[in-house]
Amino acid sequence: MRIIVHGGAGGAPDEPEPRQAVLDEAAATGAERATPLDAVESAVGVLESDPRFNAGVGGAVQSDGVVRTDAGVMTSDREIGAACSMPGVEHAASVARVVRSETPHVFVSGEHAVDLAEEFGVETGVDLLTDETRERYEAEDPPRGGPREHLDWLASRFGSGDDQAGGGSDGDGGNERDAAPDHDTVGAVATDGETFAAVTSTGGRSFALAGRVGDVPQVGSGFFCTEAGGASATGAGEDIARVTLSRRAVKYLDDGVGAQAAAERAIDEFEEITGSGAGVIVLGDDEAGSAFNTEGMQTSVADT
């Protein structure tokens, strides 16, 4: 088994060493699993449980004060599962796997995704707010009215360069072009030498409109996988979706380009088209690769 994991592309983290230790633990955990799908779910599960990362516990708070989690998973047989807008669900990647493996669909959302999670043994009703994210949200004089009031409130907050809460974001468009997103979304790609799996999981974007969904659970944007390999993206979510960043990276693998070159080419194109910040990890038959155009992106690779 070979696996590569990431902890998000964006601003330089305040404590890179402890974060790297968790990433190394996640990669090692995944590498011990029997299948690539087990590997990526287990690895990302470690990161979803650590408040240093914007996935699961410690995820970004939306405009109504709620953390909603999203995730997507794909395997090289092009089987897909995605779930989004799930309050109280720590392990969004596990729900995405349930969608892939237990339903005839590729995407389930909101309260119905939470119900599905509970039905298949994924814990729900988890308090995903940390003391830090709760206090920071309340300090921002949050809106109490309807969507228009929320939009007025988030206009000066969503995409702001000062937005560093809860590990950051999976990005946005608009104002974020002038601001570096913080370390954020998590993901993993694994192979056993025969098949591949890719997964991405997030708590979204701090101070986004309640119910906002970014690139992460959108196939081809936050994650993608074929017989040639897989990719997981992180960064400016709306812009990642606009250019389908993960699909772009894997297309290079399909064309015979190595994983590192595929990651670099995809990020170069992304920056040229959008002017935004992002990162991507890529795993092919022969190597693991990563690239980013933000201040940093921590990754870890493990083999067995």
Side-chain angles (χ1 to χ4, degrees):
M1 189 71 67
R2 169 175 286 183
I3 185 169
I4 180 171
V5 302
H6 72 77
D14 294 333
E15 298 180 333
E17 292 83 4
R19 283 170 49 86
Q20 187 63 49
V22 179
L23 285 164
D24 292 344
E25 177 191 351
T29 298
E32 294 297 326
R33 297 301 184 260
T35 70
L37 187 56
D38 290 337
V40 294
E41 180 188 8
S42 297
V44 165
V46 172
L47 304 178
E48 290 170 329
S49 295
D50 194 303
R52 293 179 180 87
F53 302 92
N54 179 17
V57 176
V61 185
Q62 295 192 331
S63 64
D64 60 352
V66 177
V67 177
R68 295 178 175 86
T69 58
D70 311 329
V73 64
M74 186 172 182
T75 46
S76 48
D77 57 1
R78 295 185 182 266
E79 291 295 318
I80 301 163
C84 72
S85 295
M86 297 182 289
V89 175
E90 177 179 345
H91 294 297
S94 295
V95 187
R97 181 173 182 171
V98 167
V99 175
R100 174 198 174 276
S101 302
E102 304 293 343
T103 83
H105 312 304
V106 299
F107 208 150
V108 179
S109 67
E111 63 183 81
H112 302 293
V114 177
D115 291 343
L116 183 67
E118 186 172 15
E119 187 75 12
F120 282 89
V122 181
E123 186 179 7
T124 61
V126 181
D127 183 3
L128 303 180
L129 281 169
T130 64
D131 291 341
E132 180 182 355
T133 53
R134 183 181 289 107
E135 290 170 5
R136 187 170 184 275
Y137 173 76
E138 291 299 335
E140 288 293 327
D141 188 24
R144 305 300 180 189
R148 287 186 182 273
E149 182 181 335
H150 283 239
L151 286 169
D152 289 341
W153 176 82
L154 65 85
S156 62
R157 294 169 174 84
F158 181 79
S160 166
D162 294 331
D163 183 11
Q164 305 292 316
S169 73
D170 73 341
D172 67 348
N175 294 338
E176 192 185 43
R177 296 176 188 273
D178 300 319
D182 195 9
H183 43 88
D184 56 355
T185 295
V186 303
V189 189
T191 182
D192 59 2
E194 297 182 359
T195 62
F196 290 86
V199 68
T200 308
S201 178
T202 191
R205 176 61 170 168
S206 294
F207 304 150
L209 183 67
R212 175 263 187 186
V213 178
D215 66 293
V216 166
Q218 298 185 50
V219 61
S221 298
F223 65 102
F224 200 72
C225 198
T226 70
E227 292 183 354
S232 170
T234 168
E238 273 72 5
D239 288 326
I240 288 173
R242 289 182 179 103
V243 303
T244 55
L245 179 57
S246 290
R247 177 67 184 93
R248 189 175 294 263
V250 174
K251 177 61 166 61
Y252 283 119
L253 294 180
D254 288 335
D255 292 341
V257 175
Q260 183 59 39
E264 292 172 356
R265 292 185 189 184
I267 289 298
D268 286 346
E269 290 179 355
F270 171 82
E271 184 171 13
E272 180 179 356
I273 294 168
T274 70
S276 290
V280 64
I281 57 171
V282 182
L283 186 64
D285 286 328
D286 299 323
E287 66 174 350
S290 65
F292 57 94
N293 65 345
T294 59
E295 291 183 40
M297 182 177 76
Q298 292 178 282
T299 65
S300 184
V301 178
D303 298 273
T304 54

